[in-house]
Amino acid sequence: MIKLVWLVPLLPLIGFIIIGLFGKKLSKGLVGIIGSGVIFGALAIAVGIFFELKNGVQKEYTVELFNWISAGKLSIPFSFLIDPLSSLFLLIITGIGFLIHVYSAGYMSHDEGFSRFFAYLNLFIFFMLLLVMGSNYLIMFVGWEGVGLCSYLLIGFWFKNTAYNNAAKKAFIMNRVGDLGFLLGIILIFVTFGSIGYHDVFEQAKNMGSGNTTITIIALLLFIGAMGKSAQLPLYTWLPDAMAGPTPVSALIHAATMVTAGIYMIARSNILYTLSPDAMNVVAIIGVCTALFAATIGLAQNDIKKVLAYSTVSQLGYMFLALGVGAYTGAVFHVMTHAFFKALLFLGAGSVIHAMSGEQDIRKMGGLKKYISTTHITFLIGTLAIAGCFPFSGFFSKDEILANVFAHNKLLWFLGILGAAMTTFYMFRLYFLTFHGKFRGTHEQEHHLHESPKSMTIPLMVLAVLSVVGGLVGIPAVLHGNHYLEAFLSPVFEASSFRLVHHLSHQTEYILMGVATAVMIGAIYYAFTTYVKKGVLPPAEGKDLNPLHKLVYNKYWVDEIYESFITRPLNMISDAFHKIIDNQLVDGIVNGVGSAVSWMSGTIRLAQTGNIGFYIFVMVISIVLILFTQLF
């Protein structure tokens, strides 16, 4: 199967070309089959590659396709690195991607841009696969920029809406800010190591001392790129606005693919971060601050997709917290489990919106469990998984992260537990307000309430199963299980593992699990008491709020602060440059040259009198001047 690895990204690219060129001439059914079929083909090959790596002796393959760039000392082959880390991400991207494609066939069936949507989805998967398969930082960067372009196209898919276009532009621009840091990091890697291939860079880095200043700068520059792509403070505001795209786009971007690119990049570069304790501390602090900050905002949001969006930002913060304390396996484990339950929650939200005829405000829902039972059950499973309830997948990955954080720093652990409590509360707030109580929508909406078609509910069921059993690959020793994922990924993190040794006694781990479980139960009970027993509803349009609630409801006015202190000043500077530099200086010089030539030609023209005697006189004077010049 390794020899067929080039087909994994090629199949989505072929799907994009076929649908992009001929989509309007094909039926929607055929477009759906082609778009989903190429991803299924890529998934089948990815599964074969995974088992070949798992069962084989060799744990790493480099498949070189052709020599891409060769200039002086710079030689960059177009090649793929297939190892446990990339093979796992291949499964996540193609597996979740396939389910989202199938779901989209039902969700977007009435949209006039159906074929264009599937073309964009296929292109997105192609670039995401390039990102994780490349054997050097340049191929990763091509995929990195490609998913940024596709996210712009997908977020602004309904381009006739100005607000959606603005959300797409916001995502594109904020990602470019982070990408500049990533690009500078790649340049510094080449200057330092003379190569940008993973193997060459990491082998040389192993021989460098811990705390090396250059390594720290490289790690921080790469992290700036991750902050933009994975929506960490302060470059996170694009991700909640990305809800402007169709719901399957939200699931694709927020669950398994684009936003986890930053996690993959740091996990891939683990030895660089392990050698830089300062950079790891920065990653951990930014991660925990993002997790708490986004969680507090999620407590007060009333748009079903906005709650899930801030939940994603918060969960990404947890993953960076794990990376910052050296729990690389835990971070990747949470990427996998998060892909299952967050895709499930977003697609479940799409099913709710579909049943509610486009309504997204949870204050206008309620009592939906008796109308859309399949969506209700699957959504509940996703909610229990993200809350970290045993034995759902989120329990195992969250427990592993918190245990590693506790061993590293007790304060960070406490903040992590606090974030977990808020996550549980706002997710069950969302669940109870949506599915319990009395229906609060219009009579027309109630009359049209219905379960989604099978093309939408079957992916929900598959993701629900994965959300239940997905954690079984990482059962810790304290629960008498085998951490298969840790053993599988060990070759990738081998150079870092012996430098980062954290051991906890079984008794301590039991206590930590007990505390996390007690906090979760308390948060669920509080949400149940507030929104089911007491029937409390969030105020309409944020009215009658106390100052703290108002602050959180308005998302700390971060967008308004950016608008006042960054956007407006830049616009003013741009206007000033336009008026002074462009209009007066540049245009003045260009217009001045034209005016000077016109004046000179008008003046010299006066010498053209038509008098032959005058012409002969000028000619003689010219000859005299030439001879005079030559003589002296």
Side-chain angles (χ1 to χ4, degrees), residues 80-316:
F80 297 142
L81 174 64
I82 305 303
D83 67 352
L85 183 63
S86 59
S87 68
L88 180 65
F89 271 82
L90 289 186
L91 287 179
I92 295 171
I93 294 164
T94 55
I96 304 297
F98 172 67
L99 293 174
I100 291 172
H101 274 72
V102 173
Y103 180 94
S104 299
Y107 190 85
M108 299 293 291
S109 59
H110 301 297
D111 197 286
E112 59 182 14
F114 185 86
S115 60
R116 179 166 56 90
F117 184 76
F118 267 83
Y120 290 166
L121 285 185
N122 277 187
L123 186 64
F124 187 101
I125 297 292
F126 164 71
F127 279 122
M128 193 64 207
L129 290 170
L130 271 191
L131 191 156
V132 300
M133 292 174 68
S135 67
N136 57 66
Y137 282 103
L138 189 59
I139 297 178
M140 178 191 280
F141 189 72
V142 171
W144 193 275
E145 292 300 295
V147 294
L149 167 66
C150 292
S151 70
Y152 167 78
L153 296 173
L154 287 166
I155 293 167
F157 179 75
W158 288 315
F159 55 84
K160 293 180 182 179
N161 186 312
T162 303
Y164 295 173
N165 286 333
N166 290 338
K169 287 189 290 185
K170 184 176 182 179
F172 192 78
I173 292 168
M174 292 198 79
N175 271 273
R176 297 292 77 71
V177 174
D179 294 352
L180 175 62
F182 187 21
L183 186 58
L184 291 174
I186 294 174
I187 293 170
L188 186 55
I189 286 173
F190 177 71
V191 171
T192 304
F193 300 104
S195 172
I196 56 173
Y198 299 146
H199 187 268
D200 295 337
V201 172
F202 301 155
E203 284 300 316
Q204 292 182 57
K206 289 176 188 177
N207 300 320
M208 302 178 75
S210 179
N212 183 284
T213 303
T214 304
I215 294 290
T216 298
I217 295 171
I218 289 171
L220 291 175
L221 286 171
L222 294 180
F223 179 55
I224 290 172
M227 286 166 65
K229 195 66 74 184
S230 296
Q232 298 298 284
L233 287 172
L235 302 177
Y236 75 95
T237 57
W238 69 268
L239 193 141
D241 287 9
M243 295 297 99
T247 299
V249 172
S250 303
L252 191 66
I253 291 176
H254 294 70
T257 53
M258 179 174 161
V259 293
T260 59
I263 312 296
Y264 171 80
M265 185 257 285
I266 293 180
R268 172 61 70 196
S269 312
N270 62 86
I271 187 62
L272 300 180
Y273 286 86
T274 302
L275 291 170
S276 176
D278 290 339
M280 290 187 72
N281 287 333
V282 170
V283 173
I285 292 168
I286 293 290
V288 76
C289 288
T290 303
L292 287 173
F293 187 81
T296 58
I297 297 175
L299 293 171
Q301 300 308 301
N302 299 317
D303 184 307
I304 188 170
K305 288 173 67 176
K306 280 284 176 72
V307 176
L308 295 177
Y310 281 106
S311 166
T312 298
V313 178
S314 183
Q315 294 298 307
L316 288 166

Side-chain angles (χ1 to χ4, degrees), residues 25 31 50 62 112 194 199 253 258 330 390 420 433 490 532 535 576 590 609 618 627:
K25 298 178 181 178
V31 167
F50 173 80
T62 300
E112 59 182 14
H199 187 268
I253 291 176
M258 179 174 161
F390 182 84
L433 286 173
S490 59
V532 179
V590 173
T609 63
V618 171
L627 292 173

Side-chain angles (χ1 to χ4, degrees), residues 13 27 30 101 105 116 138 160 181 196 229 235 264 266 301 379 384 410 429 438 448 458 539 551 574 578 580:
L13 181 62
S27 67
L30 188 55
H101 274 72
R116 179 166 56 90
L138 189 59
K160 293 180 182 179
I196 56 173
K229 195 66 74 184
L235 302 177
Y264 171 80
I266 293 180
Q301 300 308 301
F379 198 94
L384 288 167
K410 307 299 185 290
R429 169 183 179 268
K438 295 181 180 179
H448 288 96
I458 290 175
L551 177 68
S574 299
H578 172 69
I580 299 171

